Amino acid sequence: MKSSWASLLRIGIHIAGWSPLILMIVAWSTGNLTFNPVQAATIRTGRTAIIFLILSLTITPLNTVFGLSKLIPLRRWLGLYSFLYAAVHVSIFTGIDYGFDLPLLQEAILEKPYALVGAATFLLLVPLALTSTQGWMRRLKKNWKRLHRLVYLAGPLATVHYAWAQKADIRIPIAVGVLLLILLGLRIGPVRARVSRLRFALRNLRSKLTIVGIKQIDLTTQ
């Protein structure tokens, strides 16, 4: 991937990252966010947070399968946008729904399993967002990778939270869960190594076939 395409993709991610929030604010301020704007905003922000979280977990498998190493720097931005929408999602729940009433919040979290799982997911995302900079990578060294493996737990928990919150139709959460299992499976050491070897083998085969094709063209033109 050329650097220009990488830059365009990064710009596209920023546009995609801010657009849902801006559109939601505009719809809310103009009274067009359905008849229940608080519920609609909660659903929108939660869904967007999961989408960006899944996209961030997609980058490494894409590199493993297709060798798209230029995408790796985009992983951080996708993760930060996931945290942004998760933070807004939690803020709406705690601030607008419950008015930051701690006893009521505690009761809601303990009584509603999906809220408890959602709170746990958000708490896992907080240290990941705070330590996403190059400075923290240098400070934590090897511990940085260990810390950021928490995303492998945050992903499944977010999916469970999504499915539990849906209550009725859970087809989309199930599809998200299946996709997540595939993405996490491609991160397992032996699986990742085998896929990488297969990719290199196919690349070498394609190179050999290209060379043979060029030689055949040369022979026919002589």
Side-chain angles (χ1 to χ4, degrees), residues 202-212:
L202 290 173
R203 181 183 295 176
N204 291 334
L205 178 61
R206 185 174 60 183
S207 299
K208 289 177 181 178
L209 290 174
T210 302
I211 292 171
V212 170

Side-chain angles (χ1 to χ4, degrees), residues 82-161:
S82 175
F83 176 75
L84 169 66
Y85 284 95
V88 176
H89 180 73
V90 170
S91 297
I92 293 170
F93 178 77
T94 58
I96 299 178
D97 262 350
Y98 288 89
F100 297 110
D101 189 316
L102 294 181
L104 278 179
L105 278 170
Q106 183 179 359
E107 183 180 347
I109 291 172
L110 293 177
E111 288 184 356
K112 300 175 180 179
Y114 74 87
L116 180 61
V117 174
T121 305
F122 181 69
L123 289 176
L124 289 174
L125 292 177
V126 169
L128 304 186
L130 293 177
T131 60
S132 63
T133 62
Q134 293 290 334
W136 275 107
M137 288 181 70
R138 288 192 296 270
R139 291 188 196 99
L140 295 176
K141 298 178 181 178
K142 291 182 178 180
N143 290 325
W144 188 88
K145 272 194 173 181
R146 295 191 185 102
L147 175 64
H148 279 252
R149 284 175 186 153
L150 288 175
V151 73
Y152 304 150
L153 179 58
L157 284 177
T159 306
V160 171
H161 169 70

Side-chain angles (χ1 to χ4, degrees), residues 4-203:
S4 58
W5 282 107
S7 299
L8 287 173
L9 189 56
R10 185 167 59 250
I11 293 169
I13 286 174
H14 289 311
I15 292 172
W18 287 107
S19 295
L21 184 59
I22 293 170
L23 291 173
M24 187 186 74
I25 292 171
V26 170
W28 191 319
S29 61
T30 56
N32 293 316
L33 196 62
T34 75
F35 65 92
N36 190 342
V38 174
Q39 183 184 54
T42 303
I43 293 171
R44 283 194 188 189
T45 52
R47 189 179 296 158
T48 307
I50 290 176
I51 289 171
F52 277 108
L53 182 60
I54 295 297
L55 287 174
S56 71
L57 290 170
T58 304
I59 298 296
T60 298
L62 280 176
N63 181 44
T64 301
V65 177
F66 300 107
L68 301 176
S69 59
K70 295 286 186 180
L71 294 178
I72 296 297
L74 304 178
R75 183 174 53 191
R76 179 170 72 97
W77 287 111
L78 291 168
L80 286 173
Y81 280 120
S82 175
F83 176 75
L84 169 66
Y85 284 95
V88 176
H89 180 73
V90 170
S91 297
I92 293 170
F93 178 77
T94 58
I96 299 178
D97 262 350
Y98 288 89
F100 297 110
D101 189 316
L102 294 181
L104 278 179
L105 278 170
Q106 183 179 359
E107 183 180 347
I109 291 172
L110 293 177
E111 288 184 356
K112 300 175 180 179
Y114 74 87
L116 180 61
V117 174
T121 305
F122 181 69
L123 289 176
L124 289 174
L125 292 177
V126 169
L128 304 186
L130 293 177
T131 60
S132 63
T133 62
Q134 293 290 334
W136 275 107
M137 288 181 70
R138 288 192 296 270
R139 291 188 196 99
L140 295 176
K141 298 178 181 178
K142 291 182 178 180
N143 290 325
W144 188 88
K145 272 194 173 181
R146 295 191 185 102
L147 175 64
H148 279 252
R149 284 175 186 153
L150 288 175
V151 73
Y152 304 150
L153 179 58
L157 284 177
T159 306
V160 171
H161 169 70
Y162 182 28
W164 235 329
Q166 287 291 99
K167 297 177 182 178
D169 189 355
I170 60 170
R171 287 175 295 179
I172 294 178
I174 288 174
V176 170
V178 171
L179 175 59
L180 183 63
L181 285 175
I182 294 171
L183 294 175
L184 294 179
L186 287 169
R187 289 172 175 270
I188 298 172
V191 176
R192 189 173 178 177
R194 182 169 293 184
V195 172
S196 296
R197 286 196 298 269
L198 179 61
R199 188 183 82 239
F200 284 120
L202 290 173
R203 181 183 295 176

